[in-house]
Amino acid sequence: MRSLDWAVVVAYLAYVIWDGIRMTKHSGNVEGYFLANRSLPWWAVGLSVMATQLSAITLVGTTGQAYSDGMRFIQFYYGLPLAMIILCITAVPFFYRANVYTAYEYLERRFDAKVRSLTSFFFLISRGLGVGVIIAAPSVILSIVLGWHEVTTIFVIGLSTTIYTMVGGVQAVTWTDVKQMFVIFFGLSVCMFVIISQFPSGVSFADGLTLAGATGKLTTVSLSFDLKEKYTLWSGMIGGLFLFLSYFGCDQSQVQRFLTAKSVSEGRTSLLMSAFLKIPMQFMILLVGVLVFVFYQFTAPPMIFNQVEVGKVAQTAQYQTLKGEFDTAHHQREQAAEHFLKDRTDATRQEYLAADKAFNASRKNAVDYVKSATKNESFNDVNYVFPTFVVQNMPMGVVGLIIAAIFAAAMSSISAELNALATATTIDFYRRHFKKDGTDRQYVFFGRIATFVWGIFACFVATYATNIGSLIEVVNKFGSFFYGSLLGVFVLAFAVKRARARGAFFGLLFGISSVWVASHFTDIEFLWFNVIGCLVTVVSGYLISLTDRGGIDVVDV
Amino acid sequence: MKHTTKPEEPPVEMPDAWWYKVYFAVIVTTVVVIGLLQAFTYYFSS
């Protein structure tokens, strides 16, 4: 990082914090602090919805995954447009017209206070831990770039976001999200342009994609129906559909976004913005990772991207031996790639694929050695690929811009999650159980305290989350544990007239238990957990409801 | 950038028939996008 890079990062951070804090004037009452007085335009809400989902994990983890595994991850998003349509028909009008602050508040009207408290509690647990992982991702980057300890970077990122979220409320979250989306896409566009411009002379963008395509890195549709295969068209269309229904329809961090819209129509339009743009946007992010892969066909990549771990083993004889083998494998792959691009026959293609296979085996040996030498079995190099590439290869100024973009991605998600956690804590617990007749001032004050406490909690969780595999998968796997079952409760509420409070309450517990069983005793991939949790919750909730002859009638809202 | 905090006029709600056309457009667009991605994969992988 040089002086211009520092200037870009510091300017970005200072502007975002100032911009968030100046929203205080719109946050004096409860509805203003938590729902922006339901006054925001669809495009701002839509950008905020996308910014909340696009975390630093998406930038760092997805690009790293594209580098090592290709673009197959994009299938994860194929169910999203259909999920948005279903939510536009159901959740948006239900929640908006019910005039609620949280999704779980609606469940008390439909069932009872116990169901509301239980669902809100599971949201607080899953999101409170999830936001810790979201903070951990950019801290990984900063620890490399700045040479700081990860704990320091965690608290710098976590606390700076906590401050403007705590002071400015949902107005600060939404309007900073809008600006952060522009920073992210400007940064990514510049990054792509610079990578392509650094290809060797004679190697075009199309040539690069041909190399990536030959190695299977451009696979975007897999028709396999194997439940043990992680990303397929079907796991995305079915498992992803359930996950996104739950995430956008039952997770307060997203529900709160469209509750701030001016009307039901504007809330719907904001969700449909994601339906149109999410897959192309994810394609662009994955393409950056693939371009990094192409770049390293002609430039020697680091054998291990995590320089901290390299420092622990670099002097050992075995590491030096592995490094020699790795350099040779890279050189042979580079030559094979040049042959393939010059003369595109089946023979040169096979030569290139064999060289790529040998290269990958050489890198795997190195990763395995680092794991055993450092006694760190959970070591995963994927998250370090993109930041290390940026710092080592991007020109002055661009490094700062991309680091600012990663900061923007992190802060946009963290702020929305903290705001949602504070809202659920204040509205579903403090106002519901402890202070029913409080003033606006008391609730806003409590909301600010809750934001601060959740921010500190998330920072502590993040200190344990920096080295637990591909971070984006950790978040999605963890979410899948709860999301399907929470969705099941809302399906019971919206669509099953015979559903009663007892059925919803125990159905939720059965749903989460079934996911636990599936995760521990089967090899089913995590996207299917959402389907299992939802179905078990709905079926068991309905059957239990049949045993309850009392209860309340359906409340139309 | 202007920060809107109060609605300037009553919100206009579009009729359901209009929304169904929008939903249909979303589904068609999604199918086209996945088709284009498959074509992209095929073109550079073959």
Side-chain angles (χ1 to χ4, degrees):
Chain A
M1 289 272 284
R2 285 158 286 186
S3 54
L4 183 59
D5 299 319
W6 278 111
V8 171
V9 172
V10 170
Y12 161 76
L13 283 174
Y15 175 74
V16 166
I17 293 171
W18 171 77
D19 192 46
I21 288 176
R22 74 195 178 98
M23 291 295 145
T24 313
K25 59 187 175 187
H26 304 297
S27 307
N29 62 334
V30 171
E31 197 166 38
Y33 186 76
F34 291 120
L35 295 181
N37 295 313
R38 301 177 193 269
S39 65
L40 299 178
W42 64 268
W43 57 270
V45 178
L47 285 171
S48 184
V49 165
M50 293 173 72
T52 299
Q53 204 205 3
L54 200 167
S55 66
I57 296 170
T58 313
L59 281 187
V60 175
T62 306
T63 45
Q65 211 162 22
Y67 172 83
S68 58
D69 193 38
M71 302 184 89
R72 65 189 78 242
F73 177 66
I74 198 171
Q75 295 170 105
F76 177 71
Y77 294 95
Y78 286 171
L80 187 143
L82 188 56
M84 291 309 199
I85 291 173
I86 294 171
L87 292 174
C88 284
I89 295 170
T90 57
V92 176
F94 267 110
F95 290 144
Y96 201 91
R97 289 169 187 153
N99 214 25
V100 292
Y101 283 85
T102 72
Y104 320 109
E105 196 179 350
Y106 171 79
L107 293 177
E108 180 169 1
R109 299 186 191 183
R110 175 65 177 84
F111 297 122
D112 64 10
K114 279 193 297 182
V115 176
R116 171 186 181 178
S117 299
L118 186 67
T119 50
S120 187
F121 173 75
F122 280 131
F123 163 72
L124 292 176
I125 293 294
S126 61
R127 270 296 142 191
L129 295 172
V131 74
V133 181
I134 293 170
I135 294 175
S139 77
V140 169
I141 300 156
L142 270 187
S143 67
I144 293 171
V145 175
L146 307 176
W148 289 359
H149 195 279
E150 282 173 354
V151 174
T152 309
T153 60
I154 283 167
F155 278 89
V156 167
I157 294 169
L159 287 182
S160 60
T161 312
T162 300
I163 287 167
Y164 80 75
T165 308
M166 181 178 78
V167 175
V170 77
Q171 290 265 7
V173 171
T174 305
W175 289 112
T176 52
D177 279 358
V178 170
K179 288 146 197 164
Q180 284 160 341
M181 279 299 280
F182 285 108
V183 172
I184 291 165
F185 277 91
F186 183 62
L188 279 179
S189 302
V190 171
C191 183
M192 284 178 75
F193 178 78
V194 173
I195 296 173
I196 294 168
S197 71
Q198 290 185 357
F199 284 178
S201 62
V203 177
S204 66
F205 177 59
D207 289 337
L209 291 181
T210 301
L211 289 175
T215 58
K217 290 272 191 294
L218 299 185
T219 300
T220 53
V221 178
S222 167
L223 295 174
S224 164
F225 205 89
D226 185 354
L227 294 182
K228 293 173 188 170
E229 195 171 327
K230 201 174 294 176
Y231 303 117
T232 66
L233 179 71
W234 312 115
S235 72
M237 292 295 289
I238 302 170
L241 170 69
F242 277 75
L243 176 62
F244 290 123
L245 278 176
S246 188
Y247 175 61
F248 288 100
C250 313
D251 189 308
Q252 178 62 19
S253 64
Q254 286 293 358
V255 171
Q256 197 165 351
R257 306 271 74 71
F258 60 73
L259 287 179
T260 61
K262 286 178 183 175
S263 64
V264 173
S265 287
E266 299 234 357
R268 282 173 166 156
T269 312
S270 69
L271 286 189
L272 293 179
M273 195 172 162
S274 282
F276 278 113
L277 297 179
K278 186 65 188 177
I279 295 174
M281 184 184 88
Q282 204 58 42
F283 175 78
M284 180 185 174
I285 296 169
L286 285 164
L287 189 59
V288 172
V290 168
L291 291 176
V292 172
F293 165 81
V294 176
F295 173 85
Y296 279 134
Q297 302 297 298
F298 306 102
T299 302
M303 185 167 71
I304 301 292
F305 284 86
N306 183 339
Q307 297 303 310
V308 175
E309 295 299 306
V310 170
K312 295 176 186 173
V313 295
Q315 302 307 319
T316 61
Q318 191 169 349
Y319 184 86
Q320 294 301 327
T321 305
L322 288 167
K323 184 79 173 71
E325 291 170 3
F326 178 82
D327 290 341
T328 304
H330 165 71
H331 184 62
Q332 288 173 345
R333 186 177 70 166
E334 183 181 2
Q335 286 185 325
E338 287 168 355
H339 289 164
F340 178 48
L341 290 179
K342 273 183 192 162
D343 181 19
R344 296 185 193 188
T345 63
D346 196 45
T348 56
R349 182 191 180 94
Q350 293 306 323
E351 179 198 355
Y352 172 61
L353 289 178
D356 185 60
K357 193 174 175 185
F359 174 85
N360 289 334
S362 160
R363 180 165 145 72
K364 185 176 182 303
N365 289 340
V367 171
D368 289 344
Y369 172 68
V370 171
K371 276 185 184 175
S372 63
T374 59
K375 296 184 171 55
N376 183 2
E377 282 303 312
S378 62
F379 168 70
N380 189 313
D381 210 32
V382 167
N383 301 317
Y384 295 82
V385 171
F386 186 59
T388 305
F389 164 78
V390 167
V391 172
Q392 292 182 350
N393 299 287
M394 290 285 112
M396 186 169 66
V398 177
V399 175
L401 177 65
I402 295 169
I403 297 298
I406 296 170
F407 264 117
M411 294 169 91
S412 62
S413 300
I414 296 164
S415 60
E417 305 290 3
L418 291 179
N419 190 237
L421 288 166
T423 307
T425 308
T426 307
I427 302 296
D428 291 332
F429 291 95
Y430 180 66
R431 193 173 79 167
R432 174 65 183 81
H433 297 292
F434 301 104
K435 191 86 178 174
K436 290 185 178 176
D437 301 316
T439 62
D440 272 18
R441 192 174 170 174
Q442 286 172 321
Y443 293 135
V444 171
F445 178 75
F446 186 86
R448 289 193 166 121
I449 297 294
T451 307
F452 182 75
V453 171
W454 278 114
I456 298 293
F457 174 79
C459 288
F460 278 105
V461 172
T463 59
Y464 293 97
T466 49
N467 204 12
I468 48 175
S470 171
L471 290 171
I472 191 162
E473 284 193 9
V474 169
V475 167
N476 289 330
K477 278 181 184 173
F478 196 75
S480 295
F481 226 89
F482 296 96
Y483 277 157
S485 306
L486 287 176
L487 176 63
V489 175
F490 282 94
V491 170
L492 286 170
F494 291 152
V496 183
K497 285 191 175 181
R498 187 64 186 81
R500 295 290 182 268
R502 189 198 296 168
F505 187 87
F506 287 104
L508 175 60
L509 295 178
F510 278 128
I512 290 175
S513 304
S514 69
V515 173
W516 183 84
V517 170
S519 69
H520 279 76
F521 298 105
T522 72
D523 295 330
I524 296 171
E525 276 299 340
F526 72 92
L527 272 175
W528 295 102
F529 293 166
N530 301 289
V531 184
I532 293 168
C534 182
L535 292 179
V536 171
T537 301
V538 171
V539 172
S540 60
Y542 176 71
L543 292 175
I544 294 167
S545 295
L546 292 179
T547 67
D548 187 350
R549 296 188 178 279
I552 59 170
D553 291 323
V554 177
V555 178
D556 290 325
V557 289
Chain B
M1 191 172 287
K2 185 186 173 190
H3 295 150
T4 308
T5 56
K6 292 285 180 188
E8 291 166 357
E9 54 191 40
V12 178
E13 299 290 1
M14 303 304 288
D16 283 348
W18 187 84
W19 282 111
Y20 291 133
K21 288 177 189 167
V22 174
Y23 301 149
F24 182 70
V26 171
I27 291 170
V28 170
T29 306
T30 304
V31 172
V32 169
V33 167
I34 293 174
L36 287 173
L37 285 171
Q38 175 71 321
F40 167 82
T41 303
Y42 181 78
Y43 180 79
F44 285 107
S45 303
S46 57

